[in-house]
Amino acid sequence: MSNTQAPGSFDRFSGTESYITSPELRDVVNVSVALEKPLLIRGEPGTGKTLLAHAVADDLGMPLHRWHIKSTTKAQEGLYVYDTVQRLNDSRFGDGDVSDIKQYIKLGALGKAFDSEERAVLLIDEIDKADMEFPNDLLHELDQMSFYIPETQRTVEATQRPVVIITSNAEKELPDAFLRRCIFHYIEFPDARLMADIVAVHHPNLEEKLLKQCLDKFYWLRHQPDVRKKPSTSELIDWIGALMRAGISAESLEKELPFMGVLLKREEDLVQF
């Protein structure tokens, strides 16, 4: 069930051209890959938690299976779904062999990652949106990397353990038993130097003086204690894009803050600033 690579040898994540990472984040991803343990990522919105899985899959050349969690999501859906409605319709109106139940078994994101012939990346996105029992319902499957389908009497077992990346916005506390099985990392909000590198990926032609003014205003807003919803990285990138399209200069930005609705998303914040 383990990867067949030699001891001490494993795929190493180093980031991509479009996803700038800190050394700490790169290291923890590589620890997760080497130890074959799920990586639980927390951080405020806009710090790139979800995009991390895409970057890891891209950099390591692995297929990506995404499972976006909602408040109504059940653990079973990630394993497989038995489409009884389709089978009933086929039995009434079709001419196929409905006794072959395998054709009505649809693997979920976990099932596809386990069933993959090559090592894959599995993203379980925003796990804390589901109910409290959801993480506990996945303990066995994430431990053993296998599950049983009673309808077809088949065990789906990973020949190579997928790279599992789980994101959380800390909306709910996760069970201790689940946390023990994960490697944890909190993505700190980027400092100005790292943020400049991130902005350069999206706006490579931005003049340095305007970049400095944008970052100064952006971090000034984030540090205001009365701001309820602090602007995130994605909002900064959108704001800079709006400024560039409107031809706003660094000198103008010293005197005013245009397009504040791109940065601030709550009425009380907009009224205040």
Side-chain angles (χ1 to χ4, degrees):
M1 202 161 75
S2 296
N3 204 322
T4 56
Q5 292 175 319
S9 173
F10 61 91
D11 297 306
R12 293 182 183 273
F13 172 66
S14 56
T16 67
E17 290 184 0
S18 60
Y19 190 89
I20 308 298
T21 65
S22 65
E24 295 79 13
L25 181 56
R26 288 197 298 270
D27 288 345
V28 79
V29 169
N30 286 319
V31 168
S32 171
V33 173
L35 297 182
E36 300 180 334
K37 285 183 171 291
L39 174 60
L40 175 61
I41 296 289
R42 278 184 175 165
E44 66 177 85
T47 49
K49 301 185 297 296
T50 299
L51 291 177
L52 174 63
H54 294 259
V56 171
D58 184 36
D59 189 39
L60 301 185
M62 298 179 181
L64 173 64
H65 300 282
R66 298 174 291 268
W67 188 13
H68 298 290
I69 307 303
K70 302 177 181 179
S71 60
T72 57
T73 301
K74 303 300 180 185
Q76 175 68 34
E77 298 169 19
L79 306 179
Y80 74 96
V81 175
Y82 175 25
D83 195 344
T84 55
V85 174
Q86 184 62 53
R87 189 183 181 208
L88 177 61
N89 287 337
D90 289 349
S91 67
R92 297 177 62 187
F93 308 114
D95 54 4
D97 181 11
V98 296
S99 64
D100 182 12
I101 297 179
K102 289 186 293 185
Q103 63 183 315
Y104 302 105
I105 299 295
K106 310 297 182 184
L107 293 179
L110 264 77
K112 291 176 181 177
F114 292 177
D115 204 39
S116 176
E117 293 183 359
E118 56 183 316
R119 195 175 189 191
V121 176
L122 169 63
L123 168 63
I124 305 177
D125 200 19
E126 297 189 323
I127 192 171
D128 49 337
K129 285 192 178 298
D131 64 41
M132 290 296 295
E133 289 306 312
F134 179 86
N136 285 331
D137 292 341
L138 292 175
L139 291 181
H140 172 79
E141 287 75 17
L142 291 177
D143 266 345
Q144 302 301 317
M145 293 292 173
S146 68
F147 62 92
Y148 180 67
I149 303 177
E151 290 85 355
T152 59
Q153 299 181 350
R154 178 196 175 199
T155 297
V156 177
E157 184 174 7
T159 55
Q160 299 192 72
R161 294 176 72 94
V163 177
V164 181
I165 296 177
I166 304 168
T167 71
S168 166
N169 288 324
E171 294 182 5
K172 297 190 186 90
E173 285 297 321
L174 298 174
D176 288 345
F178 181 82
L179 295 174
R180 281 198 302 271
R181 289 162 169 81
C182 298
I183 293 169
F184 176 77
H185 182 73
Y186 182 86
I187 298 182
E188 297 285 350
F189 196 83
D191 60 19
R193 180 178 298 179
L194 181 57
M195 186 65 80
D197 292 339
I198 295 172
V199 170
V201 171
H202 299 273
H203 301 296
N205 298 319
L206 179 65
E207 63 177 47
E208 187 173 344
K209 191 174 181 181
L210 181 56
L211 169 63
K212 183 180 184 306
Q213 279 293 327
C214 290
L215 292 179
D216 287 348
K217 301 294 187 183
F218 174 74
Y219 283 102
W220 175 80
L221 272 177
R222 282 187 55 85
H223 290 139
Q224 297 305 305
D226 295 331
V227 174
R228 291 191 58 193
K229 198 281 183 191
K230 297 182 185 299
S232 68
T233 304
S234 60
E235 288 155 344
L236 171 64
I237 291 168
D238 290 343
W239 185 54
I240 292 175
L243 295 175
M244 293 176 68
R245 284 168 175 78
I248 302 296
S249 67
E251 290 74 17
S252 299
L253 201 59
E254 290 179 0
K255 305 172 185 177
E256 60 178 344
L257 280 175
F259 313 127
M260 289 293 286
V262 182
L263 286 173
L264 301 176
K265 303 300 174 64
R266 291 186 179 274
E267 183 179 358
E268 53 267 42
D269 291 341
L270 280 172
V271 169
Q272 181 177 357
F273 292 100

